[in-house]
């Protein structure tokens, strides 16, 4: 059996990647004997770059999928692609040098599809290189009709329930993306702004948004603010624009902010929207969909928002309205896609009604891993004020399946049997209720979260030829999309099926660069998984993912961790290669425990404890604990101790002892190949290929044999290990070859089996009951020159020589009596006991010996 001297992952990993039959990872829809384990896998956005954050999450998913399969589960680890969205549109415009409006709608969408297909292929290659056990038979692509027809059907079902509706309502609007966005897509950025103090007719107000003066519809004060009570019910004139607005009282006005008087505009922020609705105020639109000022802004019409702001401030100052400015810290709502400040515009859009109680109830039924991540969802639910705006003014997305009758304006929502359908490409196959057959298509498209929020329904068999298997067992995802993907999926699953989407949600953190900051191109700290594979290996990358941190916590990428991972595989390969050299003609079969030596039992007891520990960690998704335990056992227990101890048996003539060691080695290698399989699939497969039939990835997870776990055996084994280690250290310190035999080793205690002590020390060994009888014989005197010199100066040399000439036993007796006396040049000199150090030799039965203390047990080395 040839085992290469060096482990070369750049040969081994491609070999297994290209030869694996991926059908071994397929979910069996028709099988009912094994428990199901369906993973609601995140569908990444096909950028062409499967980045390190994706890779960390997929490593976690793969650890779980491989482990659960080996534990006997019918596992589905599907791969989806969340295709639709603005980034693809922007990239297509950049590649082709066009804007989306310069080519026919369908032609532009086809360009987007082609780019997405190419990007998917690039990302799929990285995923295969990383060894993920993906079930490609359950791959889904959200831009394909087979998938987006389900998105459209879900729209229709929720419309029929009254959960989807169309209305004119304030929405968050991104002027750059030219589309509405949901609150969950708004990120907040801390910025400095100016608080402008204005003479507002008979009142003074403070505002950060003077560019919205044209949209001012009221002025508000707190009813308990006595400074302004007399103004409530009256009107004031808006500076520059001159229209009258009412002065109203509202308890939400903060009297301590600014002047205590605020202007209500349609719309500056969410509070404006609340006041507008509560007080039934008029609507004045000063900003259009492109972020430009409208006609009500007068001479400022057509200006961008920043241009208008600067111009109005200058005019307010010139005309005497602006009397003070102060710097103010402010959180500005930004579009999460392009970092443009959002505006709140009133537009006719499609919405999903949000039932926060149903989401909260389902969240309570789901196991959160880690538990504290659930708070993020609860906090988000607590801030929900508006329904979910699901319509977008883009092109590359699932079409909203709606037409409007040209005669009566009635809304016609496509029937499920018509789907998939694009209303801009097809007319409805039936007339309107008024008899008209001419329709105007809805050109808006659906929010991409409408696609991805039904992934749990899709992978569990909803609207397919299979029985639906909801809830799925696991949702793995990042903590950054709890308020979007997790929230929307729960909402939709509860609305459509009344069931929670998953049993558990496993939340991973973000990847940080070596500088401790989130990876970003601007910081120059981005590392790609392909770089790690090229320089080291996929398994080394996966080991970094396993050990880097526990789920929920952010993980720092450090090259030294990858180097450490690579060294572990080098060390483990050496262990494996040595083991296989002794297992070449070995046929594994059960062995009577009585035939095993203490060290064999010690190794197997530790191995079974390891299996129990790793299994417990895998069940609780503590991958770092699991792999650290495997690494510790492999390096410290198996390599550094067991193999060193049993080498003499493996190379010796005692067939019984050799067979016991071979049995133990085989058992350890087999178990390690299985324990490593979820984490290092390539390395584990290469290990298993020489000791088993078929792939390790279809083998059973190792089960602990509790009868082999024995605390007393472990204690005896530890003692033998320590004796062997202490003797090796003794030889090294005394300049002896490690294989040089000693005259004799005497162990004072009880030890039933000295076979491996004999082999490891290459010396005669005797176990002696009782305590040793030692005599400590003085052999030399070592004067303290540092004390004698300063005290006796010129006589110091003579005193030292006299001490060296004395009988060591005499000096030792005088030290015991508390005073040393010597004669120097006829003069009697007394010295304190600490002026010398007595070196003694241990003598046992008249022999000179060295004594090692091994866990409190005397081990005597006879020279």
């Amino acid at each position: 059996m040839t085992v290469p001297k060096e482990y070369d992952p750049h040969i081994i990993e491609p070999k297994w990647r290209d030869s694996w039959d991926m059908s071994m990872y397929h979910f069996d829809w028709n099988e009912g004997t094994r428990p199901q384990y369906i993973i609601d896998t995140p569908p990444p956005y096909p950028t062409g770059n499967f980045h390190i954050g994706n890779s960390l999450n997929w490593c976690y998913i793969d650890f779980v999928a491989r482990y659960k399969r080996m534990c006997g589960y019918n596992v589905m680890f599907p791969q989806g692609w969340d295709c639709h969205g603005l980034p693809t549109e922007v990239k297509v415009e950049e590649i082709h040098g066009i804007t989306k409006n310069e080519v026919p709608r369908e032609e532009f969408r086809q360009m987007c599809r082609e780019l997405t297909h190419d990007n998917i292929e690039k990302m799929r290659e990285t995923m295969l290189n990383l060894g993920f056990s993906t079930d490609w038979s359950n791959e889904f692509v959200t831009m394909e009709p087979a998938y987006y027809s389900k998105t459209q059907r879900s729209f229709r079902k929720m419309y029929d329930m009254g959960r989807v509706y169309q209305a004119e309502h304030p929405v968050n609007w991104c002027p750059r993306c030219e589309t509405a966005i949901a609150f969950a897509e708004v990120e907040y950025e801390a910025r400095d702004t100016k608080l402008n103090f204005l003479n507002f007719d008979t009142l003074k107000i403070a505002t950060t948004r003077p560019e919205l003066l044209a949209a001012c519809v009221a002025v508000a004060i707190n009813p308990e603010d006595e400074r302004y009570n007399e103004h409530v019910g009256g009107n004031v004139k808006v500076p520059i624009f001159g229209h009258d607005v009412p002065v109203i009282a509202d308890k939400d006005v903060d009297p301590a902010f600014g002047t205590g008087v605020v202007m209500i505009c349609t719309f500056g922020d969410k509070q404006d929207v609340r006041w507008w609705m509560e007080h039934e105020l008029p609507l004045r639109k000063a900003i259009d969909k492109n972020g430009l000022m409208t006609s009500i802004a007068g001479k400022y019409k057509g200006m961008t928002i920043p241009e208008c702001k600067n111009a109005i401030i200058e005019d307010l100052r010139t005309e005497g309205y602006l009397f003070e400015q102060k710097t103010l810290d402010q959180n500005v709502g930004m579009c999460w896609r392009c970092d443009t400040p959002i505006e709140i515009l009133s537009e006719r859009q499609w919405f999903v009604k949000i039932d926060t109680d149903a989401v909260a109830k389902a969240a309570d039924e789901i196991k959160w891993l880690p538990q504290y991540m659930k708070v993020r969802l609860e906090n988000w639910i607590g801030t929900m004020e508006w329904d979910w705006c699901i319509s977008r003014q883009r092109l590359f997305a699932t079409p909203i399946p709606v037409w409007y009758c040209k005669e009566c304006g009635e809304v016609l929502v496509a029937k499920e049997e018509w789907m998939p359908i694009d209303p801009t490409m097809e007319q409805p196959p039936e007339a309107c209720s008024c008899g008209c057959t001419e329709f105007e298509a809805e050109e808006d498209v659906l929010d991409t979260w409408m696609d991805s929020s039904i992934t749990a329904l899709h992978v569990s068999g909803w609207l397919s030829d299979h029985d639906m298997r909801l809830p799925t067992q696991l949702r793995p995802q990042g903590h950054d999309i709890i308020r979007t993907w997790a929230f929307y999926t729960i909402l939709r699953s509860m609305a459509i099926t009344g069931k929670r989407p998953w049993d558990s949600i496993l939340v991973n953190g973000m990847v940080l660069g070596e500088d401790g900051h989130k990876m970003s191109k601007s910081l120059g700290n981005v590392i790609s998984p392909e770089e790690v594979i090229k320089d080291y290996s996929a398994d080394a990358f996966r080991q970094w993912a396993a050990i880097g941190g526990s789920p929920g916590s952010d993980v720092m990428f450090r090259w030294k961790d990858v180097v450490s991972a690579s060294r572990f595989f080098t060390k483990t390969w050496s262990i494996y290669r040595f083991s296989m050299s002794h297992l070449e003609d070995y046929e594994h079969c059960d062995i009577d425990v009585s035939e095993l030596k203490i060290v064999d039992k010690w190794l197997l007891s530790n191995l079974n404890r390891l299996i129990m520990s790793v299994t417990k960690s895998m069940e609780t998704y503590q991958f770092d604990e699991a792999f650290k335990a495997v690494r510790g056992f492999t390096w410290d227990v198996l390599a550094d101790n067991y193999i060193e101890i049993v080498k003499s048996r493996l190379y010796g003539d005692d067939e019984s002892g050799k067979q016991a060691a071979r049995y133990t080695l085989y058992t350890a290698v087999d178990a390690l190949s299985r324990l490593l399989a979820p984490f290092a699939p390539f390395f584990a497969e290469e290990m298993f290929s020489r000791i088993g039939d078929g792939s390790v990835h279809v083998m059973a997870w190792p089960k602990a044999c509790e009868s082999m776990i024995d605390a007393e055996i472990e204690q005896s084994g530890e003692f033998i290990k320590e004796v062997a280690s202490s003797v090796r250290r003794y030889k090294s310190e005394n300049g002896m070859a490690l294989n040089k035999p000693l005259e004799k080793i005497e162990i004072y205690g009880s030890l039933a089996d000295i076979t491996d002590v004999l082999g490891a020390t290459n010396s005669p060994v005797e176990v002696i009951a009782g305590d040793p009888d030692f005599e400590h014989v003085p052999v030399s005197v070592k004067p303290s020159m540092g004390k004698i010199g300063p005290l006796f100066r010129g006589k110091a040399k003579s005193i030292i020589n006299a001490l060296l000439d004395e009988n060591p036993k005499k000096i030792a007796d005088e030290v015991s009596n508390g005073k040393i006396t010597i004669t120097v040049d006829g003069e009697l000199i007394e010295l304190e006991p600490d002026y010398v150090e007595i070196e003694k030799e241990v003598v046992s039965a008249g022999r000179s010996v060295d004594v090692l203390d091994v866990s409190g047990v005397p081990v005597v080395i006879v020279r």
Side-chain angles (χ1 to χ4, degrees):
M1 186 184 302
T2 303
V3 179
K5 185 176 181 180
E6 305 291 338
Y7 179 78
D8 188 343
H10 299 109
I11 295 175
I12 300 300
E13 293 187 349
K15 178 186 76 172
W16 290 117
R17 181 197 63 203
D18 296 339
S19 64
W20 273 330
D21 179 358
M22 300 298 281
S23 67
M24 66 181 171
Y25 305 134
H26 289 181
F27 180 78
D28 188 345
W29 285 98
N30 300 315
E31 196 231 296
T33 56
R34 294 178 295 164
Q36 75 170 32
Y37 197 89
I38 298 177
I39 301 170
D40 182 19
T41 317
Y45 197 79
T47 60
N49 169 31
F50 196 74
H51 61 72
I52 198 166
N54 291 140
S55 304
L56 173 70
N57 195 11
W58 261 253
C59 282
Y60 286 170
I61 302 168
D62 199 46
F63 299 159
V64 176
R66 290 186 180 278
Y67 168 71
K68 289 295 184 181
R69 281 194 206 95
M70 295 178 78
C71 288
Y73 286 83
N74 184 16
V75 174
M76 185 198 293
F77 174 10
Q79 181 57 52
W81 303 98
D82 188 14
C83 306
H84 293 132
L86 177 66
T88 298
E89 293 189 15
V90 172
K91 194 66 177 176
V92 165
E93 290 176 329
E94 176 187 319
I95 291 171
H96 295 280
I98 58 170
T99 67
K100 67 180 188 298
N101 298 319
E102 290 176 345
V103 294
R105 181 187 184 98
E106 183 53 28
E107 182 180 335
F108 184 80
R109 287 167 60 86
Q110 182 58 28
M111 292 177 184
C112 292
R113 284 191 285 267
E114 289 171 359
L115 175 63
T116 302
H117 277 302
D118 291 343
N119 287 344
I120 286 174
E121 289 306 313
K122 294 174 186 176
M123 295 174 73
R124 185 185 284 117
E125 184 68 16
T126 301
M127 298 169 79
L128 292 170
N129 288 341
L130 285 167
F132 298 140
S133 60
T134 307
D135 178 356
W136 294 104
S137 71
N138 280 293
E139 184 179 18
F140 62 90
V141 182
T142 62
M143 69 179 181
E144 298 294 344
Y147 188 93
Y148 78 72
S149 64
K150 292 188 178 184
T151 304
Q152 291 184 327
R153 291 177 69 179
S154 70
F155 176 93
R156 174 72 206 214
K157 288 178 184 295
M158 293 183 72
Y159 178 81
D160 291 340
M161 297 174 190
R163 294 291 297 273
V164 166
Y165 65 94
Q166 188 183 43
E168 171 92 14
H169 191 279
V171 293
N172 295 307
W173 187 273
C174 174
R176 162 66 181 79
C177 300
E178 299 178 16
T179 185
I181 61 174
F183 264 112
E185 297 172 302
V186 178
E187 303 286 355
Y188 289 90
E189 181 180 298
R191 289 187 175 185
D192 288 342
T193 188
K194 292 293 184 183
L195 184 62
N196 303 277
F197 291 80
L198 307 180
N199 291 308
F200 211 95
D201 202 356
T202 57
L203 292 169
K204 297 181 184 300
I205 69 153
T207 180
T208 60
R209 301 291 306 268
E211 70 274 19
L212 289 179
L213 280 169
C216 180
V217 291
V219 168
I221 63 169
N222 191 297
E224 296 180 4
D225 191 341
E226 296 180 357
R227 294 175 295 172
Y228 307 115
N229 281 345
E230 63 197 55
H231 292 275
V232 175
N235 291 307
V236 290
K237 197 175 293 295
V238 176
I240 293 183
F241 295 95
H243 60 281
D244 290 334
V245 295
V247 180
I248 62 175
D250 193 285
K251 59 181 177 55
D252 287 336
V253 176
D254 181 3
F257 179 79
T259 64
V261 183
V262 298
M263 70 172 186
I264 301 173
C265 303
T266 52
F267 299 95
D269 56 24
K270 285 199 295 184
Q271 183 60 58
D272 280 346
V273 177
R274 294 189 200 103
W275 283 328
W276 172 73
M277 296 176 69
E278 184 177 340
H279 296 284
E280 299 180 346
L281 298 169
L283 178 66
R284 292 177 65 90
K285 296 183 180 182
I287 299 172
D288 68 14
K289 295 179 182 180
N290 298 311
L292 303 177
M293 305 309 294
T294 67
S295 59
I296 70 166
K299 70 175 185 177
Y300 310 104
K301 177 186 176 182
M303 289 185 179
T304 65
I305 297 168
E307 289 171 345
C308 178
K309 186 170 195 169
N310 292 334
I312 283 187
I313 287 176
E314 185 58 35
D315 289 346
L316 288 169
R317 182 181 287 114
T318 300
E319 297 181 30
Y321 294 113
L322 177 66
F323 64 89
E324 187 179 3
Q325 286 183 314
K326 290 183 179 178
T327 300
L328 181 71
D329 293 331
Q330 186 180 47
N331 282 327
V332 178
M334 315 287 287
C335 172
W336 76 322
R337 290 294 189 191
C338 67
D339 294 331
T340 299
I342 58 110
E343 296 295 336
I344 298 178
L345 306 183
S346 183
E347 299 291 336
R348 191 161 189 83
Q349 302 286 339
W350 287 93
F351 297 87
V352 166
K353 285 185 179 178
I354 291 176
D355 184 346
T356 54
D357 290 339
V359 174
K361 176 180 178 293
D364 288 339
E365 297 174 1
I366 295 166
K367 184 175 183 180
W368 289 74
L369 304 159
Q371 176 63 30
Y372 64 82
M373 283 294 176
K374 181 184 174 188
V375 173
R376 298 198 180 195
L377 185 78
E378 293 171 335
N379 290 343
W380 178 243
I381 290 173
T383 66
M384 299 304 299
E385 297 180 53
W386 298 357
D387 286 334
W388 174 17
C389 177
I390 59 171
S391 47
R392 298 291 181 269
Q393 291 64 51
R394 304 302 305 175
L395 295 181
F396 186 51
T398 296
I400 296 178
V402 166
W403 300 265
Y404 304 95
C405 176
K406 287 187 177 181
E407 185 68 34
C408 68
E410 182 180 337
V411 176
L412 178 62
V413 179
K415 295 178 180 179
E416 288 189 55
E417 56 267 30
W418 301 349
M419 300 172 183
I421 195 165
D422 183 347
T424 66
M425 303 286 289
E426 301 176 60
Q427 287 291 295
E430 61 184 42
C432 176
S433 59
C434 72
C436 178
T437 57
E438 293 187 11
F439 296 88
E440 182 179 340
E442 171 63 83
E443 294 189 351
D444 285 357
V445 292
L446 289 170
D447 178 6
T448 57
W449 292 111
M450 282 290 282
D451 289 330
S452 55
S453 60
I454 61 166
T455 54
L457 297 176
H458 174 77
V459 299
S460 63
W462 182 63
L463 298 181
S464 72
D465 296 334
H466 309 294
D467 292 335
M468 191 169 71
R469 295 175 176 237
L470 208 65
T472 62
Q473 279 54 67
L474 184 68
R475 153 64 69 85
Q477 67 162 76
H479 60 62
D480 57 325
I481 50 174
I482 287 175
R483 70 181 192 180
T484 47
W485 195 35
F487 176 81
Y488 291 146
T489 304
I490 296 173
L491 183 155
R492 300 257 272 148
S493 181
M494 293 300 292
I496 294 171
T497 71
K499 295 181 179 180
R500 67 179 183 274
W502 342 279
D503 293 330
S504 301
I505 179 169
L506 177 65
V507 182
N508 68 280
M510 301 292 103
V511 179
L512 308 178
E514 290 192 290
D515 56 4
H517 296 290
K518 184 178 177 181
M519 284 193 177
S520 71
K521 290 181 181 178
S522 62
L523 293 176
N525 62 354
V526 174
I527 300 295
S528 76
E530 295 288 2
E531 286 180 70
V532 182
I533 295 172
K534 176 177 173 292
D535 293 344
Y536 293 93
S537 69
D539 282 337
F541 179 89
R542 292 170 65 105
Q543 187 183 150
W544 160 78
I547 286 185
S550 58
S553 63
D554 290 341
V555 179
M556 182 179 291
F557 179 85
R558 299 180 298 190
W559 279 109
K560 70 177 184 178
D561 294 333
V562 177
V563 173
S564 174
S566 188
R567 287 174 180 165
F568 169 72
F569 290 124
T570 300
K571 179 73 170 181
T572 306
W573 187 252
S574 296
I575 299 167
Y576 175 71
R577 186 168 180 269
F578 172 83
S579 301
M580 296 312 298
S581 71
H582 294 280
L583 297 173
E584 186 166 353
D585 57 353
Y586 174 76
E587 292 185 11
H588 187 66
C589 59
D590 289 338
I591 193 171
D592 193 301
V593 175
S594 63
E595 297 179 37
L596 299 173
K597 305 299 183 182
I598 288 177
V599 172
D600 301 325
K601 296 176 185 177
W602 165 77
L603 189 282
L604 294 174
S605 184
N606 276 282
L607 177 62
N608 281 284
R609 283 195 190 275
L610 172 72
I611 292 169
M612 291 179 66
S613 168
V614 173
T615 302
K616 180 181 178 182
S617 295
M618 293 300 285
E619 287 293 326
T620 54
Y621 308 96
Q622 299 300 316
F623 310 122
D624 54 336
E625 292 178 2
F627 200 94
K628 285 174 183 176
V630 172
R631 192 160 74 171
F633 172 87
T634 305
W635 205 300
D636 302 332
V637 180
L638 180 59
D640 290 352
N641 290 290
Y642 179 76
I643 286 178
E644 290 302 319
I645 292 171
V646 300
K647 275 182 179 178
S648 61
R649 265 197 282 149
L650 290 167
Y651 290 113
D653 297 326
D654 178 3
E655 286 302 319
S656 175
K658 182 184 294 186
Q659 192 69 2
R662 294 171 83 191
Y663 170 87
T664 305
L665 267 184
Y666 178 94
T667 303
V669 170
D670 177 69
L672 281 177
S673 68
R674 297 172 194 242
L675 292 173
L676 284 169
F679 302 105
F682 299 109
F683 189 90
E685 190 76 294
E686 186 68 14
M687 285 181 71
F688 190 78
S689 67
R690 294 178 180 86
I691 61 170
D693 296 323
S695 172
V696 70
H697 302 298
V698 296
M699 296 296 120
W701 182 255
K703 290 185 178 179
C705 178
E706 295 190 41
S707 64
M708 289 298 297
I709 299 175
D710 188 321
E712 290 186 11
I713 285 291
E714 288 178 17
Q715 187 175 1
S716 297
E718 285 294 319
F719 179 69
I720 292 173
K721 181 192 82 172
E722 291 301 322
V723 169
S725 177
S726 297
V727 171
R728 285 199 301 268
R729 187 165 52 250
Y730 171 83
K731 288 180 177 180
S732 178
E733 290 172 353
N734 286 275
M736 301 170 64
L738 295 181
N739 63 348
K740 181 178 180 180
L742 299 167
E743 183 176 327
K744 188 182 181 185
I745 298 173
E746 295 174 349
I747 300 173
Y748 285 82
S750 61
L751 188 62
D753 181 1
I754 62 171
T755 302
D756 287 316
V757 180
L758 287 166
T761 61
N762 195 29
S763 305
V765 176
E766 182 181 0
V767 178
I768 303 173
D771 297 321
D773 182 15
F774 294 142
E775 182 183 356
H776 296 271
V777 178
V779 292
S780 66
V781 176
K782 185 178 180 182
S784 174
M785 298 181 186
K787 291 184 177 181
I788 295 172
L791 183 63
F792 293 98
R793 297 183 182 276
K795 293 182 179 181
K797 184 176 180 182
S798 298
I799 291 172
I800 289 169
N801 289 335
L803 285 169
L804 293 174
D805 290 340
E806 283 283 1
N807 185 325
K809 186 176 186 310
K810 170 186 175 294
I811 299 295
D813 290 342
E814 291 182 345
V815 167
S816 299
N817 293 328
K819 190 67 67 178
I820 302 170
T821 59
I822 55 173
T823 301
V824 178
D825 299 331
E827 179 184 355
L828 187 68
I829 295 177
E830 293 187 349
L831 300 173
E832 296 298 321
D834 61 351
Y835 276 48
V836 300
E837 180 180 334
I838 306 297
E839 294 184 346
K840 296 181 180 181
E841 185 178 69
V842 179
V843 175
S844 175
R847 307 162 303 177
S848 293
V849 299
D850 289 317
V851 181
L852 309 178
D853 185 316
V854 180
S855 302
V857 175
V859 175
V860 176
I861 307 293
V862 180
R863 299 180 205 161

